[in-house]
Amino acid sequence: MPSLTEGLDSLLRQKPINEDDRRAAALFALDAIANALAGRNTEAGRILAAHAGAEPRDSAGKAFVMGAMTHILEVDDLHRASVVHPGCVVVPAALALGARLDVRGHAFLDAVLWGFEAACRIGSAVGPAHYRIWHNTATCGPFGAAAAAGRLLGLGSGAMVDAFGNAGSQAAGLWQFIETGAMTKHLHAGHAASAGVTAADLAARGFSGPPAILEGARGFFRATCPDAQPDAVLAEPDAPWALRRTSIKPWPCCRHTHPAIDAALELAPKLEGRTIERVEVETYGAALDVCDRPEPQSPYEAKFSLQHTVAAALADGKVDFDSFEAPAREAHAPLRPRIGITLGDNYAAAYPAAWGSAVTVSLEGGERLAAARTHAKGDPEAPLDQDEMIAKARMLMQKAKIGPALANRLIVGLLAFAEDGPLPDLSPFFGLA
């Protein structure tokens, strides 16, 4: 009987790619690259750039640096069913290897589609308990990077299975960093991208890997997934590509806060000059586990605080990069203790297929205002259009201190991937030799 990774390899090879798929992939690549460029202009990004510049980097090393930078600002994409951020792993892996191989746009975008598919299918199979300890992007990402790199390298079926086996053996990434807001989460994305490139590069040279890495007695599911759902890896092979079912973040914070932000922004215009007595946020269990943080002490902790993000949305009518800095944290400190976070049964039951929340504001005098979201803005059910995606990329490039003229050239060039345009070497933007 074929292993799950053998089945996944077969599924990828049989799944057709059309021009709409490539156009969507070009927008997701633009989003990931813009995130990486902006991520460099942060404390963590500057540390990574210094590390990168210390010595020349091979393809895996370049993928590591770009992957880590892509995941710094918490505004990269997210696939809900798998709770994986595929772009920060897959796009850097494909960029690093694609530049080395001198590929053009279609080859690059097809590799991105394969990478999203592999990471998200395996992420959809790990089960909810995995996410309580393990960071799915870190553990499932290496499979996606290996799939993207394997596609670019033209690996045959046996070699691709070897690549998956050795990518899976490098799966790692724990949530303990959340306790202090450490920079470790960026490391997760970088390692996943690097591990997949290394696994595929070795497989191209005949380095073998375990075919039953997922379902084996000493494999990934047995080790890290108490309630794994192995059938999800190969389920619905004719469904749209996972990339087409991936969400784009409009706000630079944890995706679990977004449906509540969206609902709070609806209420904000009605609150001007009025006194808020109490706010109730209903959400699902994973959002409570990760984002119940009433007193964030750093920008990173604020990005993972439902109390802070909802307070910012209600008080300011917007959420942007400045919403998490010290002045904003101080300004919203009086409101945060009045925001209660509770489990909503309907949202818990719908998760992870739908990430929803409701916000109810109780005003002085007894009036109550409420708004709810079944899905957040940027989900496939409420997608950002191309103009909104480009506007977001411009915002990120402004954060990166890239001037308008260069930003425009980058955006035009990246979107030209869909027309099989050339793949530029972006390494110099990240301090890579």
Side-chain angles (χ1 to χ4, degrees):
M1 182 177 177
S3 70
L4 285 175
T5 54
E6 288 170 329
L8 180 58
D9 170 77
S10 178
L11 184 153
L12 292 171
R13 293 178 193 277
Q14 295 176 39
K15 200 169 182 67
I17 298 172
N18 62 41
E19 292 309 306
D20 285 342
D21 296 325
R22 290 191 177 116
R23 279 191 284 272
L27 286 168
F28 274 81
L30 170 64
D31 187 74
I33 292 166
N35 268 282
L37 292 169
R40 187 184 177 185
N41 191 31
T42 62
E43 181 185 2
R46 286 185 282 273
I47 293 170
L48 287 161
H51 170 67
E55 59 186 45
R57 300 274 156 181
D58 61 7
S59 299
K62 291 178 179 180
F64 169 82
V65 173
M66 290 189 286
M69 288 184 178
T70 305
H71 202 43
I72 289 174
L73 289 173
E74 290 296 335
V75 68
D76 51 321
D77 57 43
L78 176 84
H79 181 265
R80 291 170 301 180
S82 63
V83 205
V84 167
H85 299 271
C88 64
V89 175
V90 171
V91 173
L95 274 176
L97 191 56
R100 187 185 94 195
L101 300 174
D102 196 25
V103 304
R104 294 188 69 85
H106 283 184
F108 167 76
L109 296 174
D110 293 354
V112 169
L113 286 161
W114 273 36
F116 270 62
E117 195 73 16
C120 295
R121 283 184 170 275
I122 292 170
S124 297
V126 298
H130 180 84
Y131 187 66
R132 297 191 186 110
I133 301 294
W134 301 93
H135 181 202
N136 294 17
T137 300
T139 57
C140 305
F143 295 98
R151 169 85 187 209
L152 288 170
L153 288 164
L155 297 186
S157 293
M160 184 67 87
V161 171
D162 287 334
F164 282 143
N166 287 325
S169 255
Q170 299 177 76
L174 300 165
W175 274 107
Q176 185 59 33
F177 70 87
I178 200 73
E179 300 298 327
T180 60
M183 296 175 181
T184 310
K185 193 166 188 267
H186 323 322
L187 176 69
H188 288 177
H191 172 261
S194 175
V197 171
T198 298
D201 250 339
L202 288 171
R205 291 165 171 77
F207 198 89
S208 64
I213 188 62
L214 292 173
E215 72 274 28
R218 295 175 177 85
F220 178 57
F221 290 158
R222 182 66 62 88
T224 70
C225 308
D227 52 0
Q229 300 160 13
D231 290 349
V233 176
L234 305 179
E236 300 183 36
D238 298 325
W241 285 94
L243 181 143
R244 305 294 297 271
R245 294 174 286 156
T246 298
S247 301
I248 289 286
K249 287 182 173 185
W251 303 296
C253 48
C254 180
R255 185 61 174 175
H256 291 309
T257 68
H258 282 211
I261 289 172
D262 204 5
L265 288 173
E266 179 185 328
L267 299 178
K270 305 172 186 178
L271 302 176
E272 189 172 350
R274 309 182 75 179
T275 300
I276 296 174
E277 291 193 340
R278 182 72 180 165
V279 179
E280 296 294 338
V281 178
E282 286 186 77
T283 189
Y284 47 91
L288 277 167
D289 290 343
V290 177
C291 297
D292 185 4
R293 198 171 307 281
E295 298 181 7
Q297 300 300 309
S298 68
Y300 203 70
E301 288 184 31
K303 289 170 181 281
F304 282 82
S305 168
L306 272 162
Q307 290 88 345
H308 180 79
T309 53
V310 169
L314 290 173
D316 297 338
K318 64 178 182 178
V319 174
D320 58 20
F321 289 114
D322 291 338
S323 300
F324 306 99
E325 299 302 324
R329 296 198 307 275
E330 182 178 350
H332 301 310
L335 179 55
R336 287 197 302 262
R338 287 177 271 154
I339 299 176
I341 314 296
T342 60
L343 185 70
D345 291 340
N346 53 332
Y347 301 117
Y351 179 84
W355 294 30
S357 292
V359 176
T360 302
V361 178
S362 299
L363 297 168
E364 188 177 45
E367 185 179 359
R368 288 164 59 88
L369 302 174
R373 293 291 185 272
T374 302
H375 304 285
K377 185 174 178 63
D379 282 344
E381 297 83 359
L384 303 182
D385 61 27
Q386 178 165 311
D387 288 343
E388 289 173 314
M389 293 279 284
I390 291 172
K392 178 189 170 186
R394 290 189 191 282
M395 175 192 73
L396 287 163
M397 290 184 190
Q398 183 178 14
K399 174 77 171 175
K401 299 191 182 305
I402 293 173
L406 178 54
N408 189 61
R409 289 199 298 274
L410 284 169
I411 291 167
V412 170
L414 295 173
L415 292 181
F417 291 167
E419 309 305 325
D420 209 25
L423 186 71
D425 184 0
L426 297 174
S427 297
F429 284 99
F430 303 102
L432 293 162

